[in-house]
Amino acid sequence: MSRGAGNWQPVVMPGAETFEIASARTGEAYRILVRVPAEPAPARGWPVLWMLDGDASFPLVFTQPAHGLFPPASGASGGAGVVVAIGFPGGAPFDAPARSRNYTPTPDSETGDSVSSEFGGASDFLYFLTQELRPALAARLPLDPGRNTLFGFSYGGLFTLHTLIAHPGHFQRYWAASPSLWFSKGLMMRRMRDTPPVTDAQCLVVTVGRDEQFPTRPLPSARMAHLARRAMVDNIREAAGLIARANPGLRAELIVAADHDHFDMLMHGARRVQAMAFGGDEAE
């Protein structure tokens, strides 16, 4: 069948490969997308950026990275390292049921999620990431065990903060983009208020779009009420403060991005997290 003028070819992302892997712990399969730099690995191995919602986040790492907390490593724009993006079979940018199963802690009340029905698999999913997927990749690639960055958006951001606080030691740097702190009537917020959220991480960035609670343009009253109930900006401000006060040695940053809504924060973070993940020695 003719496709018009020109020679049509598949789109290829430089240095990108993909495979599927099944987890004995979760009982699910995952689609893994990997980008490996063309140059030789450092003596200690590559730093690794682990990105959730892989089919949505992975293409964004090919945009021009923006500098954030850390300057780029010498000799590379934004630094060089391995990107591992974890998605779900089928390649949909967002698989709502799989996200709710894998990214959320066990709820202790109504979840507030009207779309999905299964929750609470965060600890098992973390086991898959760190005890099944990471060793499989380390058997093929030279990876630096001391330079792991976790990036998550929305429910993935909730998973990122849950991992930072409840399961420290698996990652050194964390980027939580618009974490869903409203989940289960503010479960994570209640836990952080009750117990100081102590972590051994090197650095943390927490972000939220100002329009997620205080939209620039008027919206229908039902939508405004929904944004007010979730209180994304207020909760994320408070969470960042609680974590920073409990960890005076943590290099932390809160970003409230003007004129950004919820989905804007995925692009915002994907452009900037590479500088954190692959930045210079001052992070060490």
Side-chain angles (χ1 to χ4, degrees), residues 4-183:
N7 296 319
W8 288 60
Q9 300 178 10
V11 173
V12 177
M13 297 179 179
E17 297 182 86
T18 184
F19 65 94
E20 289 195 7
I21 181 173
S23 168
R25 184 65 167 257
T26 69
E28 296 192 44
Y30 301 91
R31 173 172 142 90
I32 312 301
L33 303 104
V34 182
R35 188 193 71 182
V36 181
E39 60 263 39
R44 291 179 299 179
W46 291 115
V48 184
L49 170 58
W50 305 83
M51 306 185 79
L52 305 185
D53 288 316
D55 285 282
S57 62
F58 188 70
L60 301 179
V61 303
F62 294 87
T63 62
Q64 179 64 33
H67 298 165
L69 279 176
F70 303 104
S74 60
S77 176
V82 170
V83 176
V84 179
I86 302 93
F88 302 102
F94 297 100
D95 184 327
R99 298 176 83 245
S100 66
R101 284 195 307 270
N102 287 274
Y103 296 168
T104 61
T106 302
D108 64 358
S109 58
E110 291 294 324
T111 64
D113 184 329
S114 60
V115 176
S116 302
S117 59
E118 294 182 77
F119 308 91
S123 294
D124 287 340
F125 180 68
L126 177 63
Y127 183 93
F128 161 70
L129 285 184
T130 60
Q131 307 302 316
E132 297 179 327
L133 177 59
R134 186 177 289 173
L137 291 169
R140 293 178 58 91
L141 299 170
L143 306 180
D144 183 346
R147 295 285 299 277
N148 288 290
T149 299
L150 178 62
F151 173 86
F153 159 72
S154 194
Y155 265 167
L158 179 70
F159 176 86
T160 298
L161 290 184
H162 171 72
T163 301
L164 171 83
I165 295 164
H167 301 282
H170 294 294
F171 302 87
Q172 292 74 46
R173 310 176 187 189
Y174 297 78
W175 190 295
S178 292
S180 301
L181 293 175
W182 50 265
F183 175 75

Side-chain angles (χ1 to χ4, degrees), residues 150-245:
L150 178 62
F151 173 86
F153 159 72
S154 194
Y155 265 167
L158 179 70
F159 176 86
T160 298
L161 290 184
H162 171 72
T163 301
L164 171 83
I165 295 164
H167 301 282
H170 294 294
F171 302 87
Q172 292 74 46
R173 310 176 187 189
Y174 297 78
W175 190 295
S178 292
S180 301
L181 293 175
W182 50 265
F183 175 75
S184 187
K185 295 184 178 178
L187 171 63
M188 286 288 295
M189 296 301 303
R190 289 184 278 116
R191 287 178 177 174
M192 287 190 285
R193 290 169 186 146
D194 291 342
T195 305
V198 177
T199 177
D200 60 354
Q202 293 174 353
C203 58
L204 165 69
V205 174
V206 187
T207 73
V208 63
R210 192 177 187 280
D211 283 10
E212 296 188 62
Q213 186 175 349
F214 307 108
T216 306
R217 298 179 180 178
L219 298 174
S221 58
R223 180 62 179 169
M224 293 293 291
H226 175 78
L227 297 181
R229 283 193 302 273
R230 292 197 165 178
M232 290 287 286
V233 175
D234 289 346
N235 281 330
I236 289 170
R237 279 189 187 277
E238 182 183 356
L242 289 168
I243 296 169
R245 287 192 293 274

